[in-house]
Amino acid sequence: MPEQKWGTNTGFVLAAVGSAVGMGNIWRFPYITGENGGGAFLIPYFTVTILFGLIFMSLEFAVGRYYNKSIIGSLASLGSHFRWAGAFTVIVITVIAGYYFVILGWVGSFFVSTVSHDTMTFDGLTSSYYPILSFGVVLGLVAAIAAGGVSCSIERLNKYGVLALIAILVPLAIYAVSLPDSDKGIAYYLTPDYTKISDPAIWSTAFGQVFFSLSLGMGVMVAYGSYIKNKISLAKASSVIIMTNASVSVIAGFMIFSFVFSYGADPASGTNLAFVVLPQAFSEMAFGSVVGSAFFALLFIAGLTSAVSLLEVPIGALSEQFGISRRKAVLASSGIVLLVGIVASLGYSPVSLSIGDTPTLDWLDQYIGSYGVVIAAGMFAVIVMWRMDKGTLLEQLGMHGKIAMPERILYVCKYVLPVVIMLSLVFSFVS
Ligand code: PHE
């Protein structure tokens, strides 16, 4: 089996940016900010990003680069029974892939309908079985890219993908803020409500948003770190990735709320924002079909580069654990994602499959997506910080960088990180 490695360091950084920047930045971040104190939410968001996002991302890269294995193999190297924590993480991420791909299918459908001047509505879409088809197309596309290999296919996709993303986002955001009444949207987005930041639930929301948005705690960055071939400072790479990710989120917020308020629409959240409110705004806007097509293309490209990284975790883990070829691992992983995706898809279909009153897709997101990720991230932090050799870890973190890592940083990770992750789980449970 040929070893999978990045061709260049730039390729590696762009792939990690591609994984981080996704629907979580362009769609989720703006409404979460709007709902949770507006401008004041940026305080917990940036605090968590800098204090925990940066160090957690560097840790994942360090573990991947040092052990040169998937999340399962890496954790098993620290104690054979920790393999189960790795396996749990892979299951969680495979479930997330299932519904993330379904939503990406919706985005693709809206792109096609906007380009073809069709006035499709979300209810119209989900009262057909068309979303299962679009999910299948997305899954096939991601699997084909994955089968092409890390340096040929994934690296190339991200190189063009990230460039295209910026080339679409920046002009679109400039256009949005120049619309009449965009100032009302920006006021909704950013007017700080400082009373909210003393609420622990807001910090737990910021924690969840930062980890999801940076693709942390699920073995993605361990996998991407294990493909590093050349000399690179992990702290520096992580800083670049984190800053790009945060910038895209903040710019997306300006864009989304300018669009929404310029057309007098309600700043709804969740599926309604992306698939009901915005399409309505685009339909009333001058050049709306161009703007709408650009918006859904942006969301699709951002989601596609993230989707590829989601599938990479089970692919890497299966080929490593069962000694099968990459192609077979792609097939097996896609098969599992297909099953999860169909279940998720049926939640928004004529049969409205649900668990209790919750559509299956939302249920999976709530229980597996939110709690599963925090549990997986907590296990990773505890196992790595308590079992991995301190010297090796410091060396990995400081390697090829200009500044040596202070040893104190490890104590922060060892004691503070697990406690903060636990608290975050408790608060998200309570709220
Ligand atoms: N970071 C991606 C986003 O913001 C989602 C993602 C999560 C991708 C976990 C990979 C792993 O949309």
Side-chain angles (χ1 to χ4, degrees):
M1 213 189 304
E3 214 188 4
Q4 300 290 328
K5 291 285 166 193
W6 303 113
T8 62
N9 281 342
T10 317
F12 154 62
V13 172
L14 287 177
V17 167
S19 169
V21 174
M23 296 189 282
N25 303 61
I26 293 164
W27 165 24
R28 193 169 190 273
F29 173 84
Y31 74 76
I32 292 284
T33 304
E35 280 175 356
N36 290 285
F41 181 74
L42 297 180
I43 297 171
Y45 176 79
F46 278 105
T47 310
V48 173
T49 297
I50 293 162
L51 284 186
F52 302 112
L54 186 60
I55 188 74
F56 205 98
M57 183 175 284
S58 309
L59 271 184
E60 283 204 30
F61 286 150
V63 167
R65 177 164 75 178
Y66 182 71
Y67 292 108
N68 195 16
K69 290 194 177 119
S70 80
I71 179 90
I72 300 186
S74 300
L75 293 183
S77 307
L78 291 163
S80 60
H81 43 288
F82 295 134
R83 167 171 286 121
W84 297 108
F88 172 81
T89 311
V90 175
I91 294 172
V92 169
I93 198 162
T94 310
V95 171
I96 295 178
Y99 66 79
Y100 197 88
F101 288 25
V102 170
I103 300 175
L104 199 53
W106 297 347
V107 173
S109 309
F110 269 92
F111 173 72
V112 173
S113 100
T114 318
V115 168
S116 53
H117 297 277
D118 181 33
T119 46
M120 182 179 77
T121 61
F122 186 65
D123 284 343
L125 176 69
T126 53
S127 61
S128 71
Y129 286 101
Y130 190 70
I132 298 185
L133 177 70
S134 58
F135 159 66
V137 171
V138 166
L139 179 59
L141 182 62
V142 175
I145 294 166
V150 168
S151 65
C152 290
S153 195
I154 300 185
E155 193 167 335
R156 204 172 297 163
L157 166 82
N158 280 289
K159 220 180 266 176
Y160 295 114
V162 172
L163 280 181
L165 201 126
I166 294 169
I168 301 175
L169 175 69
V170 173
L172 210 53
I174 293 175
Y175 174 71
V177 296
S178 69
L179 289 170
D181 287 342
S182 64
D183 50 331
K184 286 188 196 137
I186 295 169
Y188 171 84
Y189 170 45
L190 289 181
T191 303
D193 175 358
Y194 290 110
T195 57
K196 287 205 170 170
I197 53 169
S198 54
D199 178 358
I202 296 284
W203 286 81
S204 152
T205 304
F207 200 86
Q209 173 61 23
V210 168
F211 269 59
F212 182 79
S213 178
L214 288 171
S215 311
L216 295 178
M218 284 171 266
V220 171
M221 297 306 179
V222 174
Y224 277 19
S226 74
Y227 303 149
I228 296 174
K229 178 175 71 180
N230 303 321
K231 296 178 178 156
I232 186 166
S233 152
L234 299 181
K236 202 165 128 194
S238 306
S239 312
V240 172
I241 298 159
I242 279 171
M243 281 189 299
T244 314
N245 186 68
S247 313
V248 170
S249 292
V250 172
I251 296 174
F254 279 103
M255 173 183 78
I256 298 270
F257 289 116
S258 300
F259 278 147
V260 170
F261 280 76
S262 288
Y263 288 86
D266 159 41
S269 64
T271 29
N272 280 349
L273 175 66
F275 301 115
V276 180
V277 175
L278 282 171
Q280 182 62 33
F282 295 140
S283 73
E284 289 168 24
M285 198 177 285
F287 312 110
S289 72
V290 179
V291 176
S293 309
F295 173 77
F296 284 112
L298 172 70
L299 204 52
F300 191 81
I301 296 168
L304 185 65
T305 51
S306 300
V308 165
S309 75
L310 281 161
L311 198 63
E312 193 54 32
V313 176
I315 293 172
L318 287 178
S319 65
E320 168 195 275
Q321 295 296 309
F322 297 103
I324 54 176
S325 72
R326 187 173 169 88
R327 267 164 201 271
K328 282 196 185 127
V330 170
L331 267 181
S333 309
S334 312
I336 305 168
V337 171
L338 181 68
L339 295 179
V340 180
I342 290 178
V343 172
S345 223
L346 288 175
Y348 287 88
S349 75
V351 294
S352 299
L353 191 64
S354 51
I355 299 175
D357 280 338
T358 319
T360 42
L361 188 148
D362 301 59
W363 192 91
L364 292 172
D365 179 41
Q366 226 164 329
Y367 290 96
I368 315 285
S370 313
Y371 303 140
V373 169
V374 182
I375 295 170
M379 288 195 299
F380 179 85
V382 170
I383 295 169
V384 169
M385 292 318 302
W386 289 74
R387 292 299 294 255
M388 198 169 163
D389 175 60
K390 232 168 47 190
T392 312
L393 202 49
L394 272 183
E395 188 195 339
Q396 277 297 325
L397 292 175
M399 202 185 258
H400 312 303
K402 290 207 180 68
I403 35 170
M405 280 286 149
E407 206 175 318
R408 231 169 310 140
I409 217 159
L410 291 187
Y411 292 103
V412 175
C413 302
K414 194 165 173 177
Y415 299 101
V416 181
L417 202 54
V419 172
V420 170
I421 294 175
M422 273 299 297
L423 284 178
S424 161
L425 187 65
V426 170
F427 282 118
S428 68
F429 224 78
V430 170
S431 66

